């Protein structure tokens, strides 16, 4: 269906439209998406909406590049904020920061507002800006390696199943030994230790770690660090509870994660987004169904998250998405086609906003047919409709207030009231530096952890080994000196020693001694020789 600017539709063509519109006549608070499109025209009095209480039932925003997905996110985020619901947005291309500034009126916006019966007024919304590890503008968001966990780490290191299991063993060992894994050098130190002569016995009883697997992990870590990933791991670790705040005026805070500086590392930021979601899941209490969600999390470029994912990783995602609803968090995946999302995850996404799809190639046509099959039956020819939608138009189906799917509705979407584009870099920098969180998270901290502990133990062991080796060497040298002394030849005696030691000399000495002794005895006792 091509975009039409004519809102006039003959009354005889509104019969099915009435039934569709009736499915969106909710009694409770709801977000306004736009006006119904039917049979080539836009019906401004037939509004398409989504119940606020159903936003925690998750959703999907899909469509080809350039069809308006980002503006749809902005439209939904604005209304959530206005209703006091905090929002998280991943800004991959750098054009979502404008949500903090009022939009600019113009002919196109005036025309769109008239077509969909929107009272458009420029408005900015309270926002905080974040960055991964401080790369690019924003308050640094960091994780410790321990918090990231072995499953997500295996995904980002692109390890196979066997290597992933070994990495889990490494994490287990570090945890039981009190070796804190804070940054990547901590993890590298533990891996290297466990394949050293000193560390090999440590894992012998629970499977051990092969040198080959350790080598793969260490090489992957090196490649990961060369991508700048070392900046993302460390302390102070970001408290994801910061995303749940509201502004002083009661509006929900819009947390924008600025990712343009790392958009060439899609595997990293998609996995890091999953960590944020998993951390929220672990920290939040069970609350059941609420009148409105505590947070709505928009997961952009979702296809990157699932590409090449291991079975364990997909299981983790599926479980997180399924259970986080009861903690008051809604998750919207944003991607190009529904087939980018695994069936088990797609089945849990109750709200759908499908922008136009293209069918230029056989693969495109196949994806189109697969997308059509994911929608409920409708009076539309969805294959024709999805290829004919204009920019800012979408096919919508959501969950009603009683949890039932609404009729499929082609919709011309409303225009966001905030700036549809990035704010000036200077304004963004001022917003970041003026945040109360800047002083809390800006400066990294490197305290004693696994690397320092293992290095200290190895240094002590090396010093002890050196001392023992020195003592052994000294003892060896002493023994050799003693042995040399015992086996050395005696020196030749002098002439005097030879004379004194001769038999003739000893005989003469005895003779002289006897004669002399007699003379002395006679002198002492008064006797004298008889005279002849």
């Amino acid at each position: 269906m091509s975009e039409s600017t004519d809102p006039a539709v003959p009354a005889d063509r509104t019969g099915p439209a009435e039934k569709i519109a009736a499915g969106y006549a909710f009694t409770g608070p709801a977000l306004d998406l736009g006006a119904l499109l039917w049979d080539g025209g836009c019906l401004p009095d037939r509004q398409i909406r989504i119940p606020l209480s159903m936003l925690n039932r998750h959703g999907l925003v899909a469509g080809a590049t350039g069809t308006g997905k980002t503006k749809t996110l902005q439209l939904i985020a604005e209304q959530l904020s206005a209703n006091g619901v905090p929002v998280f947005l991943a800004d991959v291309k750098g054009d979502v920061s404008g949500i903090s500034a009022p939009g600019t009126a113009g002919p196109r916006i005036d025309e769109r507002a008239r077509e969909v019966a929107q009272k458009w007024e420029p408005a900015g919304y309270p926002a905080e800006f974040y960055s991964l590890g401080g790369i690019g503008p924003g308050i640094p968001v960091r994780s410790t390696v321990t918090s990231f966990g072995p499953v997500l780490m295996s995904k980002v290191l692109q390890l196979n199943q066997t290597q992933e299991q070994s990495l889990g063993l490494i994490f287990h060992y570090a945890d039981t030994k009190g070796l804190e894994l804070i940054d990547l050098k901590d993890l590298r130190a533990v891996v290297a230790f466990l394949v050293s002569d000193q560390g090999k016995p440590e894992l012998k009883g629970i499977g051990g770690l092969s040198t080959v697997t350790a080598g793969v992990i260490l090489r992957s870590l090196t490649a990961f660090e060369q991508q700048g990933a070392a900046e993302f791991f460390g302390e102070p670790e970001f408290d994801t509870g910061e995303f749940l705040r509201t502004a002083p005026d009661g509006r929900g805070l819009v947390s924008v994660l600025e990712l343009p500086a790392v958009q060439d590392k899609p595997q990293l930021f998609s996995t890091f987004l999953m960590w944020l979601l998993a951390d929220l899941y672990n920290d939040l209490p069970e609350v059941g169904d609420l009148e409105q969600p505590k947070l709505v999390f928009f997961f952009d470029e979702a296809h990157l998250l699932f590409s090449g994912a291991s079975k364990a990783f997909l299981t983790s995602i599926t479980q997180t998405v399924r259970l986080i609803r009861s903690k008051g968090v809604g998750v919207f995946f944003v991607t190009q086609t529904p087939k980018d999302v695994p069936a088990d995850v797609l089945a849990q996404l109750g709200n759908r906003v499908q922008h136009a799809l293209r069918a230029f190639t056989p693969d495109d046509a196949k994806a189109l047919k697969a997308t059509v099959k994911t929608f409920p039956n409708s009076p539309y020819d969805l294959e024709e409709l999805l290829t004919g939608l204009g920019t800012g138009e979408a096919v919508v189906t959501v969950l009603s207030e009683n949890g039932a799917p609404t009729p499929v509705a082609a919709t011309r979407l409303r225009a966001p009231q905030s700036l549809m584009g990035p704010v000036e870099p200077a304004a963004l920098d001022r917003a970041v530096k003026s945040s109360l969180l800047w002083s809390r998270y800006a400066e990294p901290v490197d305290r004693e952890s696994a690397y320092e502990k293992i290095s200290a133990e190895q240094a002590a062991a090396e010093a002890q080994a050196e001392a023992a080796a020195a003592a052994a060497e000294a003892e060896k040298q002493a023994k050799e000196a003693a042995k040399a002394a015992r086996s050395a030849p005696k020196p030749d005696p002098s002439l005097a020693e030879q004379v004194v030691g001769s038999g003739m000399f000893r005989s003469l000495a005895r003779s002289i001694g006897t004669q002399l002794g007699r003379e002395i005895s006679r002198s002492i006792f008064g006797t004298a020789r008889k005279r002849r």
Side-chain angles (χ1 to χ4, degrees), residues 198-271:
Q198 184 182 355
K200 280 182 181 179
E202 295 287 334
L203 295 182
K204 190 173 182 180
I206 52 175
L209 176 66
S210 75
T211 304
V212 174
T213 298
V216 171
I217 294 174
L218 290 172
R219 287 192 296 272
S220 298
L221 282 172
T222 299
F224 192 37
E225 286 182 302
Q226 289 174 347
Q227 297 176 15
E231 301 290 338
F232 310 137
F233 295 96
E235 292 182 319
E237 183 173 32
F238 186 76
D239 180 3
T240 52
E242 306 286 6
F243 296 147
L244 303 175
R245 295 178 298 141
T246 56
D249 60 5
R251 290 183 297 173
L253 201 62
V254 181
S255 298
V256 182
L257 182 63
E258 293 292 332
L259 295 170
V262 293
Q263 60 180 319
D264 59 337
K265 305 174 180 65
Q267 192 90 351
L268 173 63
F269 73 69
S270 63
T271 310

Side-chain angles (χ1 to χ4, degrees), residues 421-491:
V423 297
E424 293 294 326
L428 179 58
D429 187 65
R430 285 195 300 272
V432 171
K433 299 293 177 61
S434 63
S435 170
L436 296 177
L437 301 183
W438 177 253
S439 60
R440 189 179 307 171
Y441 295 108
E443 291 298 323
V445 176
D446 188 11
R447 63 184 177 88
E448 184 184 61
S449 50
Y451 172 79
E452 288 79 11
K453 291 178 180 178
I454 290 176
S455 297
E457 289 178 2
Q458 289 179 332
E462 289 175 2
Q464 185 176 0
E466 289 177 1
E473 181 64 22
E475 184 179 356
K476 179 181 177 182
Q477 291 179 356
K479 289 180 179 179
E480 289 179 350
K483 182 178 179 181
R486 287 195 300 271
S487 61
K490 295 181 179 180

Side-chain angles (χ1 to χ4, degrees), residues 78 81 88 118 134 200 218 248 290 386:
E78 289 177 353
S81 175
F88 175 90
Q118 177 185 11
K200 280 182 181 179
L218 290 172
L290 303 173
L386 286 172

Side-chain angles (χ1 to χ4, degrees), residues 280-438:
L280 282 166
Y281 167 73
N282 289 327
D283 291 348
L284 291 175
E286 294 280 342
V287 294
D289 291 326
L290 303 173
E291 292 183 359
Q292 65 181 45
K294 298 174 68 173
L295 173 71
V296 177
F297 192 103
F298 289 92
F299 206 124
D300 204 359
E301 300 290 345
H303 63 284
L304 300 171
L305 178 71
F306 302 110
S307 176
S310 67
K311 183 177 179 181
F313 184 71
L314 291 176
T315 299
S316 175
I317 294 175
T318 304
Q319 182 181 30
T320 300
V321 173
R322 183 175 68 250
L323 299 178
I324 203 169
R325 178 187 67 80
S326 63
K327 300 197 174 188
V329 177
V331 183
F332 274 70
F333 291 98
V334 186
T335 189
Q336 295 191 1
T337 69
K339 73 180 182 64
D340 293 332
V341 181
D344 288 344
V345 176
L346 190 63
Q348 300 178 55
L349 310 182
N351 304 296
R352 298 276 300 278
V353 180
Q354 177 67 59
H355 287 265
L357 291 175
R358 308 304 180 211
F360 299 136
T361 68
D363 286 343
D364 291 341
K366 186 177 180 180
L368 175 62
K369 290 182 180 295
T371 298
V372 169
K373 291 180 181 179
T374 63
F375 281 93
N377 293 331
S378 77
Y380 294 100
D381 181 344
L382 287 179
E383 283 194 37
E384 179 182 354
L385 176 60
L386 286 172
T387 55
L389 290 171
T391 301
E393 295 179 346
V395 172
V396 176
T397 179
V398 301
L399 294 180
S400 66
E401 291 170 311
N402 61 8
T406 59
V408 176
T411 308
R412 183 163 295 160
L413 298 167
R414 293 185 169 211
Q417 294 177 297
S418 56
L419 182 64
M420 289 188 282
V423 297
E424 293 294 326
L428 179 58
D429 187 65
R430 285 195 300 272
V432 171
K433 299 293 177 61
S434 63
S435 170
L436 296 177
L437 301 183
W438 177 253

Side-chain angles (χ1 to χ4, degrees), residues 502-519:
S502 65
M504 183 181 295
F505 180 82
R506 288 196 294 271
S507 176
L508 180 60
R510 284 197 297 271
S511 175
I512 294 172
T514 301
Q515 185 66 28
L516 181 62
R518 288 175 182 157
E519 291 295 329

